[in-house]
Amino acid sequence: MLALTPQKANGSRIDKDTILLKLIYLWAFTEAALGGLLHLLHIPITGFVIGGFSIIINILIAKYSDNNAKIFLKALGIVLAVKFLLSPYTPFGAYVAVTFQGLLAAFIFSIFKLQRLSIVVFALLVMLESALQKPLMAFLIFGKTFWNTSVKVVADFFRVAPDNINNAALLFFVIYLLLYATWAILLSYWANYISKNIEAFGIEEKSISIANFQLQNDSNLKKTGKKAGIGLLIFSILLVFLIFLNKLDIFYLLKTAALVILLFFIAPIFVKKHYHFLLRKNNTIVDNIVKSFPKITLKTQIAWKIAKQYKGFFRIKQFIIYTIWLNVFYEEKNRSTVFLLSGAIQTGKSEALLRWCEHKDVGGFVTPTFLDKKILYNVLNGKKTPFQTEKSENTIAIGNYFLDKNAFIIANTIISEAIAIQKEWIVIDEIGKLELNDEGHHVALLELLYNYKGNILLVVRDTLVEKVIEKYKFYESIILQKSDVLAEKKMLAE
């Protein structure tokens, strides 16, 4: 639900510099990674949605930069550097589109300021450029002969009379442009509304937490990327097409080959040189943006989950609003600080943690070895419960160990008790293969993350750290070694 209360940080409204920086982060994410994420989330009209994000983000940059053209140019350089770093094989036209957006925004908003008419003009020009770029690129590469043949194929499919082919093609093209123009006008309306009200939006903390935990049980999203060889593929298709039609014109073929080489091989070299220049100027911020992508991805997934209560275009609208608000204006309050105590198997992690727990305000459990068997040790009251036992119907096998199922029930109770009295620290020993399969201490950990705002220390085998971070979205966790625990380093939550 949306709450009409201004979002504040540390008692004051978030400063404009922070907002601008976060908007640049989100714009870079939109151009370099959002497409793959939308595809994996099965979000329709992906191209329109990405265009919508870019338009609205640029309008917000105009608002919070006071229409400063220099800030637009700086942001554009950073976004292009990130885009090439993460998607080096993106078609040249994509760089043209991003550059067009940034330069157009710098021109329109610095001269005409941010108002309803300038927003409409900006949205229309951006979407029309997007609409015209692909057919113009096709015409430039394939020429009039290929274009006429394509029109004839479409006309035959729709059974258009030969005399009406040109009129039908024109009608289809006008409808195509009207779709983009209609979407641009709708976006301009949303953008105007969002720019005026975004700071008053809010999402209940409970809704964010629930969406977050639902995502923990979803399949992990895999990274996607575009492969090289696009130009060669286009040229090969064209060659086969012309041979099939017995219309192989050597001059036409050489001209097309030259254009393909220019657009897909020579132009990227120019982009790469420009990228190195931009990277040198913005090396630190580009590195920070790339590191922030997992967190932005998570918040974007949460936004889509929360927006599911809406249907159709209204869901797209709310998804855009929620994504921007979560990534730019949302400040997490009193969140747990997660520490991952990592190390190889049987290297004394549990024993080191047990010694660390002495004389500290700690709840939870540790599983040290006692008489050659793992036990469940309640650090709150010192009670010991048999954990490792002999194989039976009431055990769970993990590696060479057989663990008592009843001990996991007791472990859940220990965590609930520690949460109830809000200990300064709560420890779980350990999170591993069982939890990655939603077994073992998985439920106890979810309860802990949902209900506790203090310091959480989890023991994780070194080979499973990345998988645990990915499953439970611990992107800001602090990784410790046994020596850190023994020396009591890095243990103060900020």
Side-chain angles (χ1 to χ4, degrees):
M1 297 295 291
L2 292 177
L4 296 178
T5 53
Q7 176 64 34
K8 298 183 178 181
N10 300 323
S12 61
R13 196 176 296 275
I14 304 173
D15 65 273
K16 287 185 177 182
D17 288 342
T18 301
I19 291 174
L20 280 171
L21 187 61
K22 290 183 177 181
L23 285 170
I24 294 171
Y25 275 43
L26 187 57
W27 187 17
F29 175 79
T30 297
E31 296 297 341
L34 185 60
L37 177 61
L38 295 186
H39 175 72
L40 290 170
L41 291 174
H42 306 292
I43 296 178
I45 54 175
T46 296
F48 275 14
V49 175
I50 293 175
F53 266 108
S54 297
I55 288 171
I56 294 172
I57 289 170
N58 272 280
I59 288 167
L60 288 173
I61 290 175
K63 174 182 177 179
Y64 289 99
S65 69
D66 297 323
N67 307 301
N68 190 321
K70 290 183 179 179
I71 291 179
F72 271 110
L73 297 178
K74 175 75 172 178
L76 176 60
I78 293 169
V79 171
L80 287 172
V82 173
K83 187 174 181 67
F84 190 87
L85 179 65
L86 297 183
S87 306
Y89 301 115
T90 297
F92 181 68
Y95 295 103
V96 173
V98 177
T99 303
F100 179 80
Q101 291 173 18
L103 294 179
L104 182 66
F107 173 76
I108 287 181
F109 296 123
S110 63
I111 294 178
F112 300 103
K113 309 305 177 185
L114 190 65
Q115 53 181 306
R116 187 182 296 273
L117 181 60
S118 63
I119 290 174
V120 172
V121 172
F122 174 69
L124 276 170
L125 291 176
V126 168
M127 293 312 299
L128 288 177
E129 187 276 338
S130 178
L132 291 172
Q133 187 188 104
K134 293 180 179 64
L136 286 175
M137 187 78 73
F139 182 79
L140 182 63
I141 294 176
F142 299 125
K144 188 176 180 180
T145 302
F146 185 83
W147 182 264
N148 290 338
T149 303
S150 301
V151 170
K152 186 177 184 305
V153 170
V154 174
D156 291 342
F157 180 80
F158 287 100
R159 298 181 180 179
V160 178
D163 294 340
N164 296 323
I165 287 178
N166 290 333
N167 291 334
L170 179 62
L171 177 62
F172 278 117
F173 187 64
V174 169
I175 292 173
Y176 170 74
L177 292 180
L178 283 175
L179 284 174
Y180 275 84
T182 302
W183 180 242
I185 293 172
L186 183 60
L187 281 172
S188 66
Y189 171 76
W190 289 354
N192 186 58
Y193 172 75
I194 291 171
S195 67
K196 292 180 178 179
N197 298 281
I198 189 66
E199 289 186 54
F201 287 123
I203 305 174
E204 293 179 357
E205 193 72 34
K206 183 176 180 181
S207 298
I208 297 173
S209 297
I210 290 173
N212 189 4
F213 292 135
Q214 287 175 343
L215 286 169
Q216 290 171 0
N217 292 322
D218 290 348
S219 299
N220 291 332
L221 297 180
K222 297 181 179 179
K223 296 180 180 178
T224 60
K226 297 181 180 179
K227 296 182 179 179
I230 295 176
L232 183 61
L233 177 62
I234 292 175
F235 184 69
S236 300
I237 293 173
L238 175 64
L239 182 61
V240 172
F241 184 81
L242 291 172
I243 292 174
F244 179 75
L245 293 178
N246 294 317
K247 293 183 178 181
L248 183 57
D249 186 305
I250 297 299
F251 174 76
Y252 173 68
L253 187 64
L254 291 175
K255 183 193 76 170
T256 303
L259 287 171
V260 169
I261 292 171
L262 174 65
L263 291 172
F264 292 93
F265 294 96
I266 296 177
I269 294 174
F270 170 78
V271 172
K272 187 174 183 179
K273 289 184 177 179
H274 186 58
Y275 151 75
H276 285 303
F277 168 73
L278 293 173
L279 188 60
R280 285 195 300 272
K281 291 185 65 177
N282 306 287
N283 187 47
T284 301
I285 191 171
V286 168
D287 184 57
N288 290 337
I289 289 175
V290 172
K291 289 179 180 178
S292 74
F293 273 19
K295 188 175 181 179
I296 297 176
T297 299
L298 173 59
K299 289 184 177 179
T300 304
Q301 291 174 266
I302 290 174
W304 184 245
K305 281 278 187 184
I306 297 175
K308 70 179 181 181
Q309 59 186 302
Y310 299 93
K311 302 296 181 183
F313 280 103
F314 290 104
R315 185 176 185 185
I316 298 295
K317 174 189 174 184
Q318 295 305 128
F319 168 60
I320 293 174
I321 292 173
Y322 291 159
T323 300
I324 294 173
W325 185 81
L326 283 169
N327 282 291
V328 179
F329 297 93
Y330 172 57
E331 292 294 314
E332 296 176 279
K333 300 289 187 178
N334 300 321
R335 306 299 292 176
S336 299
T337 302
V338 178
F339 298 82
L340 304 180
L341 175 56
S342 176
I345 188 173
Q346 296 180 345
T347 54
K349 299 185 297 295
S350 298
E351 286 71 16
L353 180 58
L354 190 60
R355 290 197 295 275
W356 177 85
C357 289
E358 296 175 357
H359 311 299
K360 288 184 175 61
D361 186 28
V362 185
F365 57 86
V366 182
T367 57
T369 300
F370 181 72
L371 298 178
D372 296 326
K373 297 284 187 181
K374 286 280 187 182
I375 62 169
L376 189 72
Y377 180 84
N378 186 336
V379 297
L380 190 61
N381 56 26
K383 186 175 180 179
K384 302 181 183 68
T385 301
F387 193 28
Q388 181 184 353
T389 183
E390 301 300 325
K391 182 179 180 181
S392 70
E393 294 181 356
N394 198 43
T395 58
I396 298 176
I398 179 72
N400 297 323
Y401 296 107
F402 294 98
L403 305 177
D404 191 337
K405 292 180 180 179
N406 292 328
F408 288 100
I409 298 174
I410 295 172
N412 289 348
T413 302
I414 292 173
I415 295 301
S416 297
E417 291 174 349
I419 293 172
I421 58 179
Q422 289 293 302
K423 305 299 288 183
E424 182 181 353
W425 289 83
I426 296 181
V427 299
I428 294 181
D429 182 12
E430 67 181 275
I431 302 299
K433 292 182 178 179
L434 289 176
E435 289 70 29
L436 291 174
N437 292 319
D438 299 340
E439 299 175 339
H441 304 306
H442 174 71
V443 173
L445 178 55
L446 291 187
E447 181 188 0
L448 181 60
L449 294 171
Y450 184 76
N451 294 300
Y452 177 69
K453 306 302 180 185
N455 302 307
I456 299 173
L457 198 158
L458 310 174
V459 177
V460 182
R461 191 177 305 176
D462 55 354
T463 57
L464 300 177
V465 168
E466 290 186 4
K467 292 181 179 179
V468 169
I469 289 174
E470 185 65 28
K471 178 175 179 62
Y472 294 103
K473 318 302 180 187
F474 291 151
Y475 299 125
E476 295 186 343
S477 59
I478 300 171
I479 300 176
L480 306 172
Q481 304 298 322
K482 184 178 72 171
S483 58
D484 297 318
V485 173
L486 292 176
E488 298 192 10
K489 293 179 181 178
K490 303 182 184 178
M491 304 305 290
L492 294 177
E494 307 223 344

